[in-house]
């Protein structure tokens, strides 16, 4: 596996592969790999001749009070895992090379997809994500890119941006990868104190409760939300950021749950660790 740090060297490599007729599958990450990341890499490998993984903790998607400095990092371990997964290139640029002095262009996706859910408590987050993913697509020139469905809103935003800007990259969603007890895998799970691990299960268990209530006939999302809020708050140290029933593509709030409904959840544990999860309620 090659480790490339300079954007220009990355693009030169990508152009060579394209000339040689090799397709590129791309997995964008912020590192600290877990089984979820490795599954994305495997999916990319099953769909393209060569896999490129980016490892870049993107400063522009973190708010001033967020965890940029504390975000877990372990480059040695990540590069070993990526090499074992058969990745051809680990692209690990410095922030100064991604955002050189004078860099002043931002990609913003419309409010319809970015103002709700995580957009409420993380203003500017999706502009940071869209900008860095657009830059990574331009640098790596992949045929396809694989994103985890845990960040459902992010995936919708990337799909919109890729279509609107004619970027010509196929966007592939990968189902959420979970721990045996149901917790959605996330690099941020490492922030949880052992005593908070049970409370982190409030999200996946709330999804299961919503499915049960919907299967029993409850489709009114206001009543479902009230039941889920009580349920989540019954776990110690939990605070609900949002419980939203949204259309899977438009992300607009729905009054009645149906087959197109995604339940999106964000819960803070212990006032510090913000976790998200989502899933279908029916079907
Ligand atoms: O999902 C992530 O890890 C990040 O938002 C991404 C897509 C790598 C952009 O920095």
């Amino acid at each position: 596996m090659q480790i490339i740090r300079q954007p220009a060297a990355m693009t030169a490599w990508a152009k060579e592969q394209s000339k040689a007729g090799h397709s590129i599958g791309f997995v964008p990450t912020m590192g600290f790999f877990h089984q979820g990341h490795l599954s994305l890499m495997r999916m990319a490998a099953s769909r393209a001749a060569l896999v490129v993984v980016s490892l870049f903790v993107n400063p522009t998607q973190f708010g001033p009070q967020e965890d940029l400095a504390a975000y877990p990092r372990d480059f040695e371990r990540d590069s070993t895992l990526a090499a074992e997964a058969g990745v051809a290139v680990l692209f690990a640029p410095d922030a100064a090379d991604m955002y050189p002095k004078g860099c002043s262009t931002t990609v913003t996706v419309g409010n319809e997809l970015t103002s709700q859910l995580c957009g409420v408590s993380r203003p500017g987050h999706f502009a940071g994500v869209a900008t860095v993913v657009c830059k990574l697509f331009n640098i790596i020139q992949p045929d396809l890119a694989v994103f985890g469905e845990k960040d459902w809103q992010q995936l919708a935003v990337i799909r919109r941006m890729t279509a609107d800007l004619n970027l010509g990259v196929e966007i592939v969603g990968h189902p959420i990868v979970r721990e045996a007890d149901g917790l959605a895998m996330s690099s941020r799970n490492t922030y949880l104190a052992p005593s908070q691990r049970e409370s982190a299960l409030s999200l996946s268990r709330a999804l299961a409760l919503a499915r049960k209530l919907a299967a029993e006939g409850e489709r009114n999302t206001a009543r479902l939300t009230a039941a889920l809020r009580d349920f989540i708050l019954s776990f110690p140290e939990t605070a609900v950021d949002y419980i939203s029933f949204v259309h899977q593509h438009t992300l607009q709030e729905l009054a009645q749950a149906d087959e197109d409904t995604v339940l999106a959840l964000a819960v803070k544990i212990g006032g510090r660790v913000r976790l998200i999860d989502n899933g279908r309620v029916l079907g």
Side-chain angles (χ1 to χ4, degrees):
M1 184 184 77
Q2 284 190 60
I3 295 171
I4 298 182
R5 293 203 177 263
Q6 291 300 323
M10 184 67 246
T11 303
W13 182 92
K15 279 191 183 343
E16 248 175 58
Q17 301 312 320
S18 166
K19 241 194 242 156
H22 300 143
S23 58
I24 297 177
F26 172 44
V27 181
T29 81
M30 299 205 300
F32 214 68
F33 297 154
H34 49 65
Q35 281 305 320
H37 293 111
L38 301 180
S39 303
L40 304 185
M41 295 174 203
R42 281 195 290 274
M43 181 176 253
S46 74
R47 306 274 302 260
L50 297 166
V51 176
V52 174
V53 172
S54 64
L55 195 173
F56 180 59
V57 183
N58 173 38
T60 67
Q61 69 188 75
F62 288 79
Q65 310 304 326
E66 292 184 355
D67 57 341
L68 173 61
Y71 199 83
R73 292 162 168 90
D74 189 340
F75 185 78
E76 289 312 313
R77 181 175 165 275
D78 283 351
S79 42
T80 303
L81 288 173
E84 284 170 7
V87 168
V89 172
L90 185 63
F91 176 53
D94 284 338
D97 293 320
M98 285 299 280
Y99 300 108
K101 235 184 168 162
C103 179
S104 67
T105 303
T106 301
V107 179
T108 53
V109 173
N111 280 338
E112 313 82 67
L113 291 179
T114 56
S115 63
Q116 67 283 64
L117 304 176
C118 292
V120 175
S121 62
R122 306 190 72 188
H125 170 69
F126 289 112
V129 170
T131 302
V132 79
V133 171
C134 186
K135 285 168 73 73
L136 289 167
F137 283 1
N138 287 331
I139 292 166
I140 295 163
Q141 306 183 359
D143 297 274
L144 62 94
V146 185
F147 291 81
E149 290 180 352
K150 182 170 74 66
D151 297 282
W152 188 266
Q153 186 175 18
Q154 169 172 282
L155 183 53
V157 167
I158 299 299
R159 285 192 199 284
R160 181 81 268 149
M161 173 194 75
T162 305
D164 290 354
L165 299 182
N166 305 92
L167 295 180
V169 178
E170 183 192 350
I171 306 300
V172 181
H174 187 290
I176 297 174
V177 180
R178 296 181 181 279
E179 306 282 357
D181 60 7
L183 179 65
M185 288 194 186
S186 164
S187 304
R188 290 189 167 100
N189 291 347
T190 55
Y191 297 153
L192 292 164
S195 61
Q196 296 170 333
R197 187 63 179 60
E198 186 70 14
S199 292
L201 292 177
S202 60
L203 291 97
S204 55
R205 293 199 180 148
L207 285 167
L209 175 62
R211 287 194 190 104
K212 177 176 168 284
L213 295 174
E216 287 166 4
E218 182 59 274
R219 304 290 159 89
N220 178 292
T221 61
R223 284 196 294 268
L224 285 166
T225 299
L228 297 182
R229 184 176 297 278
D230 287 348
F231 177 76
I232 291 170
L233 295 178
S234 72
F235 288 77
E237 294 190 72
T238 52
V240 173
D241 183 351
Y242 61 73
I243 299 169
S244 289
F245 291 84
V246 297
H247 186 277
Q248 59 167 330
H249 301 307
T250 66
L251 304 188
Q252 297 310 300
E253 284 276 352
L254 299 169
Q256 293 290 317
D258 62 21
E259 279 70 18
D260 278 324
T261 304
V262 167
L263 166 58
L265 302 172
V267 175
K268 260 195 177 166
I269 316 285
R272 200 177 71 91
V273 188
R274 184 176 175 282
L275 300 178
I276 58 173
D277 202 342
N278 71 76
R280 300 300 176 98
V281 179
L282 292 156

